[in-house]
Amino acid sequence: MNKRALLADVFTALNMLCGFLAILAAARGWWERALWLVFVAAIFDGLDGKFARAARSGQTSDFGLQLDSLSDVISFGVLPGVLAYEIFLKKLGVAGVATSFLPVLCSALRLARFNVLSMSGRSPFYVGLPAPMATLTICGFIWMDALLPDVIGGLRLLPVVVAGVSLLMVSRLPYDRMPHFAFNRGAANTVNLLIFLLGLVFIPLFPRYVFFPLMMVYVVSGIVRGLHSGPREQSARDKDAEASKREAL
């Protein structure tokens, strides 16, 4: 087996391990430990994709694709649901259970669609908010809770955040992919790469101040791009959707 491909699968397993450990931490009430594990899981998730494409000249194997998606459902589907439920949503009874299930359901739907679209060709954008970014947005909001004045609502707004990012996962909005780690891939890639690198530096240093605002920049970017996309881009996304439906059938 190609060493890079093997390393990609190891990173996928580490992503899954971090998600599992974070679920255990959330169940014990160790919120901050769980939040840090989510951040580490997201880093491993980004690395496994980079190594998988490097090993296969820009393409990922069917096995690696399915394994990565199964891992992501744990780390970026089950985990945010459990975390949000244990921190606040369990106070809402049945409504809390239903809301905490949304990340599980929507991440599974989004990843299934992603797999189908990936098999038909690589798009320059993700279709819908990526599950790791949705989870990081939820975690960033939880981390920022101590800074939110009571008049804003604090964790009382968590159900809105959870439901909002869950629905964005199954939306048709176009979101940027991970930037190439090179400064000769155009201005847009350079800007995205700089933001990504700055996030890696400042999120661990100032998580409560940086995490949620940075995630919201990404979330809003897809909404803005979707609202301003031209008819041609929308038509292309419609064709992708039709292709995915045929594949699913």
Side-chain angles (χ1 to χ4, degrees), residues 192-205:
N192 290 338
L193 179 58
L194 288 174
I195 293 174
F196 176 78
L197 295 176
L198 288 173
L200 288 181
V201 172
F202 285 104
I203 285 177
L205 294 175

Side-chain angles (χ1 to χ4, degrees), residues 231-246:
R232 184 177 300 178
E233 185 177 344
Q234 183 64 46
S235 176
R237 291 203 297 272
D238 290 340
K239 290 180 180 178
D240 285 342
E242 290 300 322
S244 68
K245 289 179 182 178
R246 288 195 294 271

